[in-house]
Amino acid sequence: MTAELVRGQNHPLPHTRLEIRVTAGAPVLACATLGDAQGAVRGPEWIAHPGSPRLPGIEVSRQAAASLRYHVDLDVLPEQAHLLHVLLALPEGTGGPDRFGATAAPFAAVTATDGTEIASFTLTGLDTESAVLALELYRRQGAWKVRAVGQGYAGGLAELLADQGLPQAASFAAAVQEAVARHLAGAVQAPLTGATGAQDGARARTDATRADGRQPSAAPQPLPADPAAPPATASGAAAGGAVGAVNYTHPRRVTAAPPTPPPAAPPAPPGQPPRPVAGDATGWSMDERLYNQVWGMFEDLARTVAAYRSAMDFAESRMDQELDRVLSDPRNRVGGAGDAARAAARAPHDDHPPRAREGHDPDHHPRLAESEVVEPALPPAYARWDSPVWHAYRVPMEIPMALRLGDVHLPERPDLRIPMLVRLPLERGLWIDSGRAGSDAALMTDEAQLRRAAVDTAVALAARLLAVHPPGAFTVEVIDPAGSAAGPLAPLVMSGALDRPPAAGAGGVAAVLARLTQRVDLVQMAVRGGAAESLPPDLDTAEQLLIVNDFPHGFDDRAVTQLRYLADEGPAVGVHLLMVADREDARAYGPVLDPLWRSLLRITPVPDDHLADPWVGHAWTYEPPAVPPGGQVLRRVLDRVAESRRTGER
């Protein structure tokens, strides 16, 4: 039976291998500190945090998330460690809440490795605190217990660590926050509806608001106000009703028809698992069901591989302990007797890796079978470029839920590639890293070929964005100061998909940035003032993508400032940034550009393991969208997009 603890209460721990599961109302970062008999932290080497997530016997998440797990093996902790403190802190500088009082109370549960809950604690009563000591695991007379602490610190993680006796706690806490910011910049955002599709999309989109009233990070930003639409009134006009009419319907009530049920799976042979079906997830449309299903596959693979890695780590730690015990006897250190003793210590553990693999395979095969069924059923916005769906492509009449940026996979299962889907409208810009320092694949690629591949990736993504939007609902502008990307940009230019030719030179850079900056300013003022009808009639309010190649060539200080402004403020009003750049080229700016790089989602033109999932924090290998070589699919799609725009204009 689970013990529901209150502040100050303790409970014995029947197991030494544990999981501590934390859920919160906003993303939090996980830390764990070890303490000696006096409760003091001896130094940074006794702290597990996102920048250094592993210590002997403890592992924490690499990134901030609303759902976290701590993996604990109390038998492996250093002998001098008598305490293990579970810490939570709010990330700084991410736009989220800055105090726990603005979010739902965090909840912590201590469980066995099989998921059996041992004790739980709800951290109530927090207000201005931004860091909290949640739980304390301590050893007393050879037995381990857990105590509910719930001590908050308004001074944040720095004050908490200083209270535990860590020297230079402020600088260490700043380094931890910086590590979290880096991981957040590379994290794939979880879907609003939940990866397993447990909630229906319409209700989740209605409920997904933060305590400060803004949309959460995973939510799409609102579209610019329609200039032709009447302004909203303070009385809250009903959607589609007369201006000024009061809508008495509860804002959370779903009035649309219930979602159509997913297709039924064909009956499986006796004794066999059910056959997978495309769209076998909750949603109000096939588009949403497939989106939720893909995210369910993503989460399932992340968690099953986490269990597999945990089993392997446990086997290795047990073998290391046994070897240490054997080698503690001087007679077993040299000679034939030592070799025999070490072999005898390893023998019981030699079968652990195969057994762990055997336990993981039954979880993997259904995911692989599901992927083989789902991939051919994906619509153009989610499909690979070599999918047959592009041969029957027609320009859509409505915007899809998400867009495929490429694929991700884990090294344990390279055969299972998960589509990387991001919500539309894009809520953050993209950065295609054309530098060679990011990965081994980049280092092995010629610099000119890598830059060409980066622009090719940008063109493929721009073409997909144009292809999945209705005619005239999305436009693309290009800045190519030196004209170095003329070849890769040819499909966009020759098809007529661009309204203007790529801007070149410092003058072209300044003109484009000035025009887009003015657009952002005007739309922001109109939206905030409720005066959408006052926008100039010639202002293009369609979603816009700005491709910037060869940054910072052709950019002066004013242009750099405008670019940073567009990256920060543009997505909320429909202006999105896609940069093709090598960060080393801009090293002269120093830390001034660090916020810009962090605000963009980094992707690469070659495979690179830099992305993290939002549940466990695995490092996933990203693979860019590949257009079939020699094929004409990209050109045909762009031609149809350009033709539909011309037809609409006439």
Side-chain angles (χ1 to χ4, degrees):
M1 182 175 179
T2 303
E4 297 182 1
L5 306 181
V6 297
R7 190 173 273 104
Q9 186 179 358
N10 59 37
H11 186 75
L13 293 173
H15 310 286
T16 56
R17 291 192 67 217
L18 306 165
E19 278 190 354
I20 300 174
R21 305 179 182 183
V22 175
T23 56
V28 294
L29 64 91
C31 291
T33 60
L34 302 179
D36 57 20
Q38 288 71 42
V41 178
R42 296 191 172 183
E45 67 276 6
W46 272 26
I47 303 177
H49 58 88
S52 179
R54 290 188 179 184
L55 292 178
I58 178 69
E59 181 178 358
V60 303
S61 175
R62 291 179 177 271
Q63 66 181 41
S67 178
L68 299 171
R69 293 194 184 195
Y70 297 70
H71 300 277
V72 179
D73 189 345
L74 298 173
D75 288 339
V76 185
L77 295 179
E79 292 184 4
Q80 302 85 354
H82 293 260
L83 300 170
L84 189 155
H85 288 140
V86 175
L87 317 180
L88 303 174
L90 293 171
E92 297 176 357
T94 61
D98 58 359
R99 59 188 184 92
F100 278 109
T103 69
F107 173 82
V110 182
T111 72
T113 54
D114 62 359
T116 304
E117 196 167 291
I118 301 169
S120 64
F121 175 41
T122 302
L123 286 76
T124 57
L126 298 175
D127 186 11
T128 61
E129 298 88 347
S130 59
V132 60
L133 169 54
L135 298 172
E136 178 183 78
L137 280 62
Y138 63 98
R139 183 164 48 193
R140 185 70 51 84
Q141 297 178 348
W144 284 92
K145 295 184 177 182
V146 59
R147 176 184 290 117
V149 182
Q151 175 64 51
Y153 293 82
L157 187 60
E159 182 183 357
L160 193 162
L161 295 175
D163 191 43
Q164 295 194 348
L166 180 70
Q168 300 179 339
S171 60
F172 187 85
V176 172
Q177 293 284 1
E178 176 65 21
V180 172
R182 288 197 303 269
H183 280 292
L184 283 175
V188 182
Q189 297 161 344
L192 283 179
T193 56
T196 59
Q199 298 172 329
D200 65 83
R203 189 183 299 273
R205 284 193 293 276
T206 302
D207 294 347
T209 53
R210 295 194 307 210
D212 59 4
R214 292 183 293 153
Q215 292 292 331
S217 60
Q221 296 289 341
L223 286 168
D226 183 357
T233 64
S235 59
V243 176
V246 178
N247 184 358
Y248 293 100
T249 304
H250 191 281
R252 300 272 177 92
R253 179 168 299 172
V254 178
T255 57
T260 56
Q272 297 295 322
R275 295 174 180 174
V277 175
D280 187 14
T282 303
W284 292 80
S285 65
M286 190 62 171
D287 187 18
E288 187 170 5
R289 291 201 297 269
L290 287 169
Y291 172 79
N292 288 334
Q293 187 172 15
V294 168
W295 272 91
M297 295 161 53
F298 192 5
E299 183 179 11
D300 287 347
L301 182 58
R303 297 200 184 280
T304 55
V305 170
Y308 170 72
R309 290 181 179 178
S310 178
M312 294 293 291
D313 291 343
F314 174 71
E316 291 177 4
S317 67
R318 289 295 188 183
M319 185 175 68
D320 290 342
Q321 284 182 298
E322 187 66 21
L323 288 173
D324 290 341
R325 185 188 63 78
V326 169
L327 294 176
S328 64
D329 187 346
R331 295 171 297 178
N332 294 332
R333 295 178 184 172
V334 295
D339 294 339
R342 286 190 290 272
R346 289 192 182 97
H349 305 280
D350 287 342
D351 63 336
H352 282 171
R355 288 171 57 191
R357 188 76 178 186
E358 290 174 3
H360 179 51
D361 283 342
D363 291 328
H364 171 67
H365 295 315
R367 302 284 79 76
L368 188 60
E370 186 176 17
S371 175
E372 293 172 351
V373 171
V374 170
E375 186 67 51
L378 295 178
Y382 304 170
R384 293 196 301 252
W385 280 111
D386 59 357
S387 171
V389 73
W390 290 106
H391 298 302
Y393 166 74
R394 299 182 63 183
V395 178
M397 298 309 296
E398 59 182 25
I399 301 173
M401 174 175 284
L403 185 85
R404 186 174 189 158
L405 293 185
D407 296 336
V408 292
H409 70 270
L410 290 171
E412 288 85 356
R413 294 300 181 183
D415 55 336
L416 180 52
R417 285 167 165 76
I418 306 295
M420 179 181 168
L421 303 181
V422 296
R423 290 294 294 263
L424 290 179
L426 297 172
E427 66 137 32
R428 62 190 294 196
L430 303 174
W431 164 33
I432 303 177
D433 189 355
S434 59
R436 301 184 64 205
S439 66
D440 293 339
L443 285 172
M444 297 174 63
T445 305
D446 177 74
E447 181 177 356
Q449 293 179 344
L450 190 64
R451 291 181 182 270
R452 169 69 186 245
V455 182
D456 286 338
T457 302
V459 170
L461 292 176
R464 185 182 291 265
L465 281 164
L466 286 167
V468 302
H469 281 79
F474 196 90
T475 61
V476 176
E477 293 214 37
V478 178
I479 290 178
D480 186 21
S484 59
L489 291 172
L492 289 174
V493 176
M494 297 179 64
S495 65
L498 300 180
D499 290 340
R500 302 176 181 86
V509 172
V512 172
L513 293 178
R515 183 171 63 253
L516 291 180
T517 300
Q518 182 186 41
R519 179 198 184 280
V520 170
D521 288 339
L522 290 174
V523 176
Q524 275 189 340
M525 289 188 292
V527 171
R528 292 170 181 171
E533 74 283 356
S534 64
L535 286 170
D538 59 343
L539 183 69
D540 184 7
T541 56
E543 297 279 313
Q544 295 184 343
L545 178 72
L546 174 62
I547 301 177
V548 178
N549 181 51
D550 235 0
F551 177 81
H553 182 77
F555 281 72
D556 56 17
D557 290 344
R558 177 180 175 82
V560 170
T561 302
Q562 289 176 320
L563 190 70
R564 288 183 55 186
Y565 175 74
L566 292 177
D568 292 339
E569 304 295 334
V573 291
V575 176
H576 311 284
L577 186 61
L578 197 165
M579 288 186 60
V580 181
D582 179 0
R583 190 168 182 173
E584 284 299 307
D585 293 343
R587 64 183 179 274
Y589 287 93
V592 173
L593 290 181
D594 285 352
L596 172 64
W597 303 118
R598 284 199 297 264
S599 70
L600 305 174
L601 176 61
R602 176 178 173 261
I603 56 178
T604 52
V606 292
D608 187 18
D609 59 347
H610 67 285
L611 291 176
D613 65 78
W615 305 283
V616 184
H618 292 316
W620 293 72
T621 298
Y622 167 80
E623 294 190 3
V627 179
Q632 297 297 316
V633 58
L634 187 68
R635 181 65 60 83
R636 286 199 301 268
V637 168
L638 286 173
D639 286 344
R640 291 183 184 177
V641 169
E643 181 182 359
S644 67
R645 293 178 62 189
R646 290 192 296 268
T647 303
E649 289 172 0
R650 289 199 299 266

